[in-house]
Amino acid sequence: MREPTVASLMTREVISADVDSPFKDLVRLLEDNGISAVPVLDGGYPVGVVSEADLLPKEEFRGGTEEAPGVFARSAVKHRWEQASGLTARDIMTTPVKSVAPDLAASAAARELAAAGVRRLFVMDDDGALVGVLSRRDLLKLFLREDDELKTVIRDEIFGRMLWVDPFSVEVEVSEGVVTMRGQLERQSEVEIAGHLVRALPGVVDVLNELRPEWNDTTHTRQTTILG
């Protein structure tokens, strides 16, 4: 099974700003479109990002009553001070752009988001052109897969095609994304592989693996099934 890629989840129509966009136009762009950040383009290529946080220093340091940061002030404080006097996107934007490739796997993109501590990643092709944006919300949509769809994929794809097991020889239940598997497989290794594959399936919230093996091929000890 192929994992969903960034390209299959991203938003393709991206609201953007030009490097010379005035401060007030940037505020309107965010407000009118109900978004919290926009990529800044120079000649069609992303060079930075303007977010609500990048615009707030204009209010934070309103009136110039605050003293300029000292030599030993943190770089983030100095950056906000400089943003407060910015007039265009070029002056205010944060660089570099946090980006991903469209063919990156969804799980890898989630790790990139977590590591970068951002709400979104801009998707750029091999030439550096902007082709989409991937947000946390886009990734979370994977968990909206219907239970019946997950059940069918688990039964037909994982058991039937990948493990070569009669799909109807095991019981699969899915409730709110939580998968419960019961029944008997030939080997312990198959039980473990089935659990791993189902847990890795996009949209699965948790797995209760109650499958039992006929024999444990990981220790070479045969198990006896007792019918009552």
Side-chain angles (χ1 to χ4, degrees):
M1 294 180 298
R2 293 195 60 181
E3 185 178 350
T5 62
V6 168
S8 68
L9 299 171
M10 68 183 187
T11 299
R12 296 180 182 275
E13 296 183 6
V14 185
I15 306 297
S16 62
D18 185 78
V19 286
D20 296 318
S21 296
F23 182 92
K24 290 191 70 170
D25 284 357
L26 295 169
V27 176
R28 288 194 191 95
L29 198 60
L30 298 185
E31 176 65 22
D32 292 348
N33 292 281
I35 54 180
S36 59
V38 290
V40 180
L41 307 185
D42 187 1
Y45 292 89
V47 293
V49 178
V50 170
S51 69
E52 293 169 332
D54 294 316
L55 296 166
L56 277 177
K58 184 74 75 175
E59 182 65 27
E60 180 183 354
F61 298 104
R62 171 176 291 282
T65 55
E66 295 281 345
E67 291 186 4
V71 176
F72 299 106
R74 290 182 295 115
S75 58
V77 175
K78 293 179 180 178
H79 181 57
R80 291 205 310 276
W81 174 264
E82 293 168 356
Q83 288 175 316
S85 60
L87 299 178
T88 66
R90 190 193 306 274
D91 309 322
I92 299 164
M93 68 185 185
T94 294
T95 59
V97 178
K98 302 293 185 182
S99 65
V100 288
D103 59 352
L104 189 69
S107 59
R111 289 191 290 272
E112 293 261 358
L113 275 170
V118 295
R119 295 182 180 182
R120 68 198 61 76
L121 295 168
F122 293 100
V123 187
M124 297 162 63
D125 63 18
D126 293 338
D127 296 324
L130 183 67
V131 295
V133 59
L134 182 77
S135 68
R136 295 172 179 173
R137 184 174 299 176
D138 292 325
L139 288 168
L140 289 175
K141 287 178 182 177
L142 289 170
F143 290 101
L144 297 180
R145 296 181 74 177
E146 295 293 336
D147 289 344
D148 287 344
E149 178 189 354
L150 285 172
K151 181 176 180 178
T152 298
V153 171
I154 294 167
R155 187 186 61 202
D156 297 345
E157 294 294 318
I158 292 180
F159 285 106
R161 189 175 66 84
M162 301 181 73
L163 294 177
W164 291 1
V165 172
D166 179 359
F168 296 98
S169 67
V170 295
E171 180 184 354
V172 177
E173 295 179 357
V174 185
S175 177
E176 297 296 325
V178 178
V179 180
T180 302
M181 301 183 294
R182 301 185 183 91
Q184 191 171 64
L185 300 182
E186 184 178 353
R187 298 184 296 273
Q188 173 65 27
S189 59
E190 290 179 330
V191 172
E192 294 174 2
I193 292 171
H196 174 74
L197 291 174
V198 172
R199 192 174 296 278
L201 188 65
V204 169
V205 175
D206 198 6
V207 178
L208 302 177
N209 190 350
E210 298 178 4
L211 295 168
R212 296 291 180 266
E214 291 183 14
W215 67 287
N216 191 338
D217 59 331
T218 62
T219 60
H220 305 290
T221 57
R222 195 165 188 88
Q223 296 184 1
T224 304
T225 302
I226 301 177
L227 301 178

